[in-house]
């Protein structure tokens, strides 16, 4: 029952990517201004909106307040960049980014603006990407319209109907992997009347990261899908890496100033208990919406959500930003600093001031031994198939949870991104290619049914049984002409 639900969900996400492909093709085929009928139609009804380029800023800087009192057509240019950057001292990670940093640039528009998104995926990207804006009213939040293969640009437009602070994120399959690699940022739809003025505004986004090595293990660390599914991050950080807003990079302000933080949570998994040690939020725009709560110590920011917090600085010192799920702060990196200079006020706070009260403690984690029962289960391994029919049945489950997100229900794939497994001349010519695909992954140019693909399939960590079962299922489904792969076949290839 549970599996069915999951499969259905994955199918619907895939359908999204599939529709997106049509949109992407359309965008690629037609000149940019007429990229979608929607853009054209809106311009007609909106008449002559003045056109402005969006001011976009890298964290922790927030774009300045909007001084227009009329709607405009705001052009947002986004570029996806996949690149290796620092996760922590001595630790590198291959990030997937909007605009070359995590989080992506913050975008600020005004309620009622027409927003045109020009979405480019760099030619040196390994996979297609898209963007789902939570500020959009429309299918996939723009994900369908922006699904873009490497080297292409897609354009779509939406009207910023409702003010608020919204996350945007990539929603290309496997969605969790794209978000886990850093594909998120914030867009503020400022209310028509504007937000109350403050002295300083900052942009902070929390995210959780999953690496093969544990916290602090040096070198280039690959993404770990297993830990991501288990929701066991090695890193929980503000603004993309450990120390992004601490030490020399700390946020800075002065006594007497009012401060606003636009805080988002990209997730992919964890809910943030956002807290600033030594401060009380005068105002919290709860979940980034219209509701204002006052005098708040810790505010919850859901994965894929945001909050705006305002507070006045009364005394100097170092104020530490944390996710108050506190092991994340001291052992996984979720520490930031706001350094405040200015005269003391002994009545409000008498104590001495130090920069170094709160220090990261690192991730020296002890392993938890398995119980006898668990050990036995691990040793027993997965269910074994007794016949070819059994293999097909078990193989479907393996397919639904390991291949469907990319290759799709019915194995149809997505043109330009994920090749089909349905009547694939590439696979059917030599079904052992399927074994290689799973064990080693596939990369570089391949031609399937006359169409060229030049992307990357990661190796899939399946045992011999599951590999044999899923391939036997594929060979006997999707209109394919039958065949069988046994666990022994897989073992033989693995041994080579
Ligand atoms: Cu992506």
């Amino acid at each position: 029952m549970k599996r069915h639900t999951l499969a259905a969900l994955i199918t619907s996400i895939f359908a999204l990517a599939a529709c997106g492909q049509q949109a992407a093709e359309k965008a690629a085929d037609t000149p940019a201004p007429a990229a979608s009928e929607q853009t054209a139609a809106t311009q007609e009804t909106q008449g002559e909106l003045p056109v402005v380029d969006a001011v976009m800023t890298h964290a922790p800087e927030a774009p300045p307040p909007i001084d227009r009192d009329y709607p405009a057509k705001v052009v947002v240019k986004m570029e996806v960049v996949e690149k290796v950057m620092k996760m922590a001292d001595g630790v590198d990670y291959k990030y997937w980014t909007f605009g070359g940093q995590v989080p992506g640039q913050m975008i600020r528009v005004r309620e009622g603006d027409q927003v045109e998104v020009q979405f480019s995926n760099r030619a040196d990207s390994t996979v297609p990407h898209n963007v789902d804006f939570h500020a959009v009213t429309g299918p996939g939040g723009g994900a369908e319209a922006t699904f873009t293969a490497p080297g292409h640009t897609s354009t779509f437009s939406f009207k910023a109907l409702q003010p608020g602070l919204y996350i945007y994120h990539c929603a290309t399959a496997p969605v969790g992997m794209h978000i886990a690699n850093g594909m998120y940022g914030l867009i503020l739809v400022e209310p028509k009347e504007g937000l109350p003025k403050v002295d300083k505004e900052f942009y902070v986004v929390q995210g959780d990261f999953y690496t093969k090595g544990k916290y602090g293990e040096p070198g280039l660390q690959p993404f770990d899908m297993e830990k991501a599914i288990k929701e066991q991050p090695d890193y929980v950080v503000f603004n993309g890496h450990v120390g992004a807003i601490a030490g020399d990079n700390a946020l800075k302000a002065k006594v007497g100033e009012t401060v606003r933080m636009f805080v988002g949570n990209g997730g992919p998994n964890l809910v943030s208990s956002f807290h600033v040690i030594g401060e009380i939020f005068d105002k919290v725009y709860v979940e980034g919406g219209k509701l204002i709560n006052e005098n708040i110590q810790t505010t919850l920011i859901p994965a894929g959500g945001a909050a705006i917090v305002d507070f006045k600085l009364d005394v100097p010192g170092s104020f530490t930003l944390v996710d108050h799920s506190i092991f994340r702060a001291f052992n996984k990196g979720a520490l930031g600093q706001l350094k405040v200079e200015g005269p003391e006020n002994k009545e409000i706070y008498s104590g001495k001031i130090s920069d170094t009260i709160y220090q990261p403690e690192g991730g020296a984690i002890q392993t938890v031994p398995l119980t006898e029962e668990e050990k036995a289960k691990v040793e027993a391994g997965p269910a074994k198939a007794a016949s070819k029919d059994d293999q097909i049945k078990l193989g479907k489950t393996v397919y639904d949870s390991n291949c469907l997100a990319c290759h799709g229900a019915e194995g149809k794939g997505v043109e330009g991104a994920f090749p089909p497994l349905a009547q694939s001349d590439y696979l059917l010519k030599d079904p052992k290619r399927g074994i290689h695909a799973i064990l080693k992954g596939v990369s570089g140019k391949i031609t399937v049914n006359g169409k060229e693909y030049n992307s990357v399939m990661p190796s899939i960590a399946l045992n011999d049984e599951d590999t044999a079962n899923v391939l036997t299922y594929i060979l006997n489904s999707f209109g394919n002409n039958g065949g069988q792969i046994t666990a022994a076949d897989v073992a033989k290839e693995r041994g080579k």
Side-chain angles (χ1 to χ4, degrees), residues 80 96 98 119 127-130 170-172 178-179 183:
V80 174
W96 291 352
F98 293 110
F119 185 84
V127 292
H129 297 283
N130 64 12
C170 185
T172 303
H178 284 250
I179 296 178
M183 299 197 76

